[in-house]
Coordinates of all heavy atoms in Angstrom, one line a residue:
N839 N 31.9 16.2 35.1 CA 31.3 15.4 36.2 C 31.3 13.9 35.8 O 30.6 13.2 36.4 CB 29.9 15.9 36.4 CG 29.0 15.7 35.2 OD1 29.5 15.4 34.1 ND2 27.7 15.9 35.5
D840 N 32.2 13.5 34.9 CA 32.3 12.1 34.5 C 33.6 11.4 35.0 O 34.6 12.1 35.3 CB 32.3 12.0 33.0 CG 31.0 12.5 32.4 OD1 30.0 12.4 33.1 OD2 31.0 12.9 31.2
I841 N 33.5 10.1 35.1 CA 34.7 9.3 35.5 C 35.2 8.6 34.3 O 34.4 7.8 33.8 CB 34.4 8.4 36.7 CG1 33.9 9.2 37.9 CG2 35.6 7.5 37.0 CD1 33.4 8.3 39.0
L842 N 36.4 8.8 33.9 CA 37.0 8.0 32.8 C 37.3 6.6 33.2 O 37.6 6.4 34.4 CB 38.2 8.7 32.2 CG 37.9 10.1 31.6 CD1 39.2 10.8 31.2 CD2 36.9 10.1 30.5
G843 N 37.4 5.7 32.2 CA 37.7 4.3 32.5 C 39.1 4.1 32.7 O 39.9 5.0 33.2
V844 N 39.6 2.9 32.5 CA 40.9 2.4 32.7 C 41.9 3.3 32.0 O 43.0 3.6 32.5 CB 41.1 0.9 32.3 CG1 42.5 0.5 32.5 CG2 40.1 0.1 33.2
N845 N 41.7 3.6 30.8 CA 42.6 4.4 30.0 C 42.1 5.9 29.9 O 41.2 6.2 29.1 CB 42.8 3.9 28.6 CG 43.8 4.6 27.8 OD1 44.3 5.6 28.2 ND2 44.1 4.1 26.6
P846 N 42.6 6.8 30.7 CA 42.1 8.1 30.8 C 42.4 8.9 29.5 O 41.9 10.0 29.3 CB 42.7 8.8 32.0 CG 43.9 7.9 32.2 CD 43.6 6.6 31.7
N847 N 43.2 8.4 28.6 CA 43.6 9.1 27.4 C 42.6 8.7 26.3 O 42.7 9.3 25.1 CB 45.0 8.7 27.0 CG 46.0 9.2 28.0 OD1 45.9 10.3 28.5 ND2 47.0 8.3 28.3
T848 N 41.7 7.9 26.5 CA 40.7 7.5 25.5 C 39.4 8.4 25.7 O 38.8 8.3 26.7 CB 40.3 6.0 25.6 OG1 41.5 5.3 25.5 CG2 39.3 5.6 24.5
A849 N 39.1 9.2 24.7 CA 37.9 10.0 24.8 C 36.6 9.2 24.6 O 36.6 8.4 23.6 CB 38.0 11.1 23.8
P850 N 35.6 9.3 25.4 CA 34.4 8.6 25.3 C 33.4 9.2 24.3 O 32.2 9.0 24.3 CB 33.8 8.6 26.7 CG 34.3 9.9 27.2 CD 35.7 10.1 26.7
F851 N 34.0 10.1 23.4 CA 33.1 10.8 22.4 C 34.0 11.1 21.2 O 35.2 11.0 21.3 CB 32.5 12.1 23.0 CG 33.6 13.0 23.5 CD1 34.1 14.0 22.7 CD2 34.1 12.9 24.8 CE1 35.1 14.8 23.1 CE2 35.1 13.8 25.2 CZ 35.6 14.7 24.4
V852 N 33.4 11.6 20.1 CA 34.1 12.0 18.9 C 34.0 13.5 18.8 O 32.8 14.0 18.6 CB 33.6 11.3 17.7 CG1 34.4 11.7 16.4 CG2 33.8 9.7 17.9
A853 N 35.1 14.2 18.8 CA 35.0 15.7 18.6 C 34.6 16.0 17.2 O 34.9 15.3 16.3 CB 36.4 16.3 19.0
G854 N 33.9 17.1 17.0 CA 33.5 17.6 15.7 C 32.4 18.6 15.8 O 32.0 19.0 16.9
T855 N 31.9 18.9 14.6 CA 30.7 19.8 14.5 C 29.6 19.0 14.0 O 29.6 18.3 13.0 CB 31.0 21.0 13.5 OG1 32.1 21.7 14.1 CG2 29.8 21.9 13.4
Y856 N 28.5 19.0 14.7 CA 27.3 18.2 14.4 C 26.1 19.1 14.2 O 25.8 20.0 15.0 CB 27.0 17.3 15.6 CG 28.1 16.4 15.9 CD1 29.1 16.7 16.8 CD2 28.3 15.2 15.2 CE1 30.2 15.8 17.1 CE2 29.3 14.3 15.4 CZ 30.3 14.7 16.4 OH 31.3 13.8 16.6
A857 N 25.5 19.0 13.0 CA 24.3 19.7 12.7 C 23.1 19.0 13.2 O 23.0 17.8 12.9 CB 24.2 20.0 11.2
G858 N 22.2 19.7 13.8 CA 20.9 19.0 14.3 C 19.7 19.7 13.8 O 19.8 20.7 13.1
Q859 N 18.6 19.2 14.2 CA 17.3 19.9 13.8 C 17.1 21.3 14.3 O 16.5 22.1 13.7 CB 16.2 19.0 14.3 CG 14.8 19.5 13.9 CD 13.7 18.5 14.2 OE1 14.0 17.5 14.9 NE2 12.5 18.8 13.9
Y860 N 17.7 21.6 15.5 CA 17.4 22.9 16.1 C 18.7 23.7 16.2 O 18.6 24.8 16.7 CB 16.9 22.7 17.5 CG 15.6 22.0 17.5 CD1 15.5 20.6 18.0 CD2 14.4 22.5 17.1 CE1 14.3 20.0 17.9 CE2 13.2 21.9 17.1 CZ 13.2 20.6 17.5 OH 12.0 19.9 17.5
G861 N 19.8 23.2 15.7 CA 21.0 24.0 15.7 C 22.3 23.2 15.5 O 22.2 22.0 15.0
S862 N 23.4 23.7 15.9 CA 24.6 22.9 15.7 C 25.4 22.8 17.0 O 25.4 23.7 17.8 CB 25.5 23.5 14.6 OG 25.9 24.8 15.0
L863 N 26.2 21.7 17.1 CA 27.0 21.4 18.3 C 28.4 21.4 17.9 O 28.8 20.6 17.0 CB 26.5 20.1 19.0 CG 27.4 19.7 20.1 CD1 27.2 20.6 21.3 CD2 27.1 18.2 20.5
D864 N 29.3 22.2 18.5 CA 30.7 22.1 18.3 C 31.3 21.4 19.5 O 31.3 22.0 20.6 CB 31.3 23.5 18.1 CG 30.9 24.1 16.8 OD1 30.8 23.5 15.7 OD2 30.6 25.4 16.8
L865 N 31.7 20.2 19.4 CA 32.3 19.4 20.5 C 33.8 19.3 20.3 O 34.3 18.8 19.3 CB 31.6 18.0 20.5 CG 32.0 17.1 21.6 CD1 31.7 17.7 23.0 CD2 31.2 15.8 21.4

Side-chain angles (χ1 to χ4, degrees):
N839 62 350
D840 296 335
I841 298 172
L842 296 178
V844 175
N845 184 354
N847 296 317
T848 303
F851 59 90
V852 177
T855 299
Y856 301 92
Q859 183 175 1
Y860 300 106
S862 64
L863 175 68
D864 293 318
L865 183 56

